[in-house]
Amino acid sequence: MKSAPIYLDHNATAPMLAAARDAVIDAMARTGNPSSVHATGRAARHLVESAREQVARSVGAAAPEIVFTGSGTEANNFALRGVDGPVLISAVEHDSVAAARPDAIAIPVDGDGIVDLRALEALVAQHRPALVSVMLANNETGAIQPIDEVARIARRARALIHCDAVQAFGKIAVDVAALDVDLLSVSAHKIGGPQGVGALIARGNVALEPLLRGGGQEKRRRAGTENVAGIAGFGVAAAAVNDHLKMAEATRALRDGLEARIVAAMPGARIFAAGTRRLPNTTCVGMPGIGAETQLMAFDLAGIAVSAGAACSSGKVTASRVLRAMGASEEEARCAIRVSFGRGNSVSDVERFVAAWMALAMRRGSNGGATIRAA
Ligand code: PLP
């Protein structure tokens, strides 16, 4: 009998919460444009504004500071392209930050992918940036950045601070005031909400040049009729974000168990960013000599969903830009996969993953000369 598939790709997208799905379906069954003044329109407006309150509360913001967007990618583009003047971004940002401003100046990172604060100080003094953008947690390795220190340095130079919290949201506590950032990006589908809806939190209503024009929605910050159903689902998922956070210790135990088994079995295996604070659910593991694409196919055949590098990119696997920025060789960056745990995972999933991993390493026999011991 074929075993049930195992989902170990929660950083790509989290399973949707039943309550969020119900809210989406319920909203879709209604008619009404939130901009219409009649009662039907006002009912749709009520859904949007309730969700705005819920999202605001989940990150310690005020409701008017929330701008709903079509994704985390759009929130990042809005922040990065909405300012005039030079921008500094870390060398390990998600593509939706890096590609939004190809002219951005990169802040180098250390071997664990953590921004070099001394280098940041020097770059800030040299370039007088309008904006500094550093993610809260990396989507590939889970490494958590010292955002408070980044903010302190950027603030001294009067730069705005943007933080992409898309991957951290729901996995560690995110509070916009404690982080002391001006702009924060989040996305619904990483916390059990629907895909295709995100938000940019603009504290103190920082003025940004809109990306989309042609309507007065979102206080003229994002034109276009709101995705009422998606926003309603986002609100419900945001209201339940503390339940997500409660899974942290369970996912950490699974992640740590997986890493311990793999390193014991193959001392040549590399766990990226192992020397720093990481998201509890995420590991990025290198299997020497076997490309990520080959690994993904083998795991897929074994019924296990994992990803190589950033899952939200094109589907074509190339060496991870993030791992390269951390000093990994082209070969190391080509042979790493990401495993991310979440709701529904159990110890037996770790067992099956480790068994598939070992089988692959032994079958290929190209394990960089590393010994494989019985797991
Ligand atoms: N930023 C980070 C760190 C991400 O991991 C992702 C998606 O994986 C995004 C931004 C993009 O979010 P969305 O999928 O909502 O466009």
Side-chain angles (χ1 to χ4, degrees), residues 8 50 133 213 243:
L8 299 179
S50 303
S133 178
R213 298 161 189 277
D243 297 341

Side-chain angles (χ1 to χ4, degrees), residues 224-235:
T225 300
E226 298 88 339
N227 171 6
V228 178
I231 289 171
F234 189 7

Side-chain angles (χ1 to χ4, degrees), residues 11-13 70-74 76 93-97 135 137-140 164-168 185-190 195-198 310-312 338:
N11 286 14
T13 202
S71 57
T73 297
E74 185 191 323
N76 284 343
E93 292 301 309
H94 188 262
D95 276 347
S96 55
V97 166
M135 69 203 320
N138 187 269
N139 44 301
E140 293 183 43
D164 173 358
V166 166
Q167 206 55 250
S185 301
V186 288
S187 179
H189 73 106
K190 307 292 187 185
Q195 295 169 336
V197 56
C312 11
R338 175 186 72 187

Side-chain angles (χ1 to χ4, degrees), residues 8-41:
L8 299 179
D9 204 11
H10 291 254
N11 286 14
T13 202
M16 201 156 156
L17 294 170
R21 193 180 54 222
D22 290 348
V24 171
I25 293 168
D26 183 61
M28 281 185 142
R30 301 172 188 226
T31 304
N33 185 322
S35 298
S36 301
V37 293
H38 47 63
T40 314

Side-chain angles (χ1 to χ4, degrees), residues 22-353:
D22 290 348
V24 171
I25 293 168
D26 183 61
M28 281 185 142
R30 301 172 188 226
T31 304
N33 185 322
S35 298
S36 301
V37 293
H38 47 63
T40 314
R42 291 200 304 278
R45 167 64 49 206
H46 178 70
L47 285 180
V48 170
E49 297 314 316
S50 303
R52 198 185 305 282
E53 295 279 350
Q54 289 168 312
V55 172
R57 218 170 297 130
S58 71
V59 293
E65 296 175 321
I66 308 296
V67 184
F68 285 118
T69 61
S71 57
T73 297
E74 185 191 323
N76 284 343
N77 271 265
F78 184 21
L80 271 285
R81 292 165 64 183
V83 294
D84 232 356
V87 300
L88 300 182
I89 68 169
S90 89
V92 293
E93 292 301 309
H94 188 262
D95 276 347
S96 55
V97 166
R101 284 290 299 261
D103 61 328
I105 300 139
I107 312 158
V109 296
D110 68 14
D112 283 321
I114 299 300
V115 281
D116 178 339
L117 295 171
R118 298 267 298 271
L120 172 61
E121 299 226 28
L123 288 170
V124 161
Q126 187 188 346
H127 296 283
R128 295 274 144 206
L131 179 92
V132 174
S133 178
V134 176
M135 69 203 320
L136 183 48
N138 187 269
N139 44 301
E140 293 183 43
T141 64
I144 298 171
Q145 299 288 353
I147 297 298
D148 49 347
E149 300 196 50
V150 169
R152 200 168 34 77
I153 295 168
R155 228 169 255 307
R156 278 207 304 263
R158 298 183 187 287
L160 289 174
I161 303 132
H162 168 250
C163 180
D164 173 358
V166 166
Q167 206 55 250
F169 191 36
K171 301 185 184 99
I172 54 172
V174 175
D175 183 289
V176 80
L179 291 170
D180 192 24
V181 298
D182 300 292
L183 299 159
L184 186 99
S185 301
V186 288
S187 179
H189 73 106
K190 307 292 187 185
I191 61 159
Q195 295 169 336
V197 56
L200 182 70
I201 292 99
R203 274 178 84 211
N205 291 309
V206 172
L208 291 175
E209 200 58 36
L211 273 182
L212 298 179
R213 298 161 189 277
Q217 292 88 352
E218 297 298 285
K219 297 216 192 77
R220 304 210 156 272
R221 295 172 295 186
R222 202 269 187 184
T225 300
E226 298 88 339
N227 171 6
V228 178
I231 289 171
F234 189 7
V236 168
V241 80
N242 283 335
D243 297 341
H244 243 267
L245 293 175
K246 284 185 199 139
M247 290 187 305
E249 287 322 306
T251 58
R252 185 190 303 282
L254 295 176
R255 191 270 312 268
D256 290 353
L258 180 148
E259 290 183 350
R261 298 277 303 277
I262 281 178
V263 171
M266 190 200 278
R270 178 162 173 200
I271 310 290
F272 291 93
T276 195
R277 207 158 66 90
R278 286 178 292 160
L279 294 177
N281 76 318
T282 307
T283 184
C284 182
V285 194
M287 185 190 286
I290 304 184
E293 209 152 20
T294 307
Q295 295 187 50
L296 292 201
M297 282 191 290
F299 284 116
D300 194 33
L301 283 174
I304 303 171
V306 293
S307 74
C312 11
S313 58
S314 59
K316 192 172 169 350
V317 182
T318 49
S320 158
R321 176 174 58 77
V322 167
L323 301 183
R324 291 288 283 143
M326 290 163 57
S329 67
E330 181 81 18
E331 174 66 3
E332 286 173 315
R334 207 180 52 78
C335 296
I337 60 162
R338 175 186 72 187
V339 180
S340 51
F341 292 96
R343 191 157 46 91
N345 289 138
S346 66
V347 176
S348 68
D349 298 343
V350 173
E351 299 296 328
R352 259 180 69 194
F353 175 88

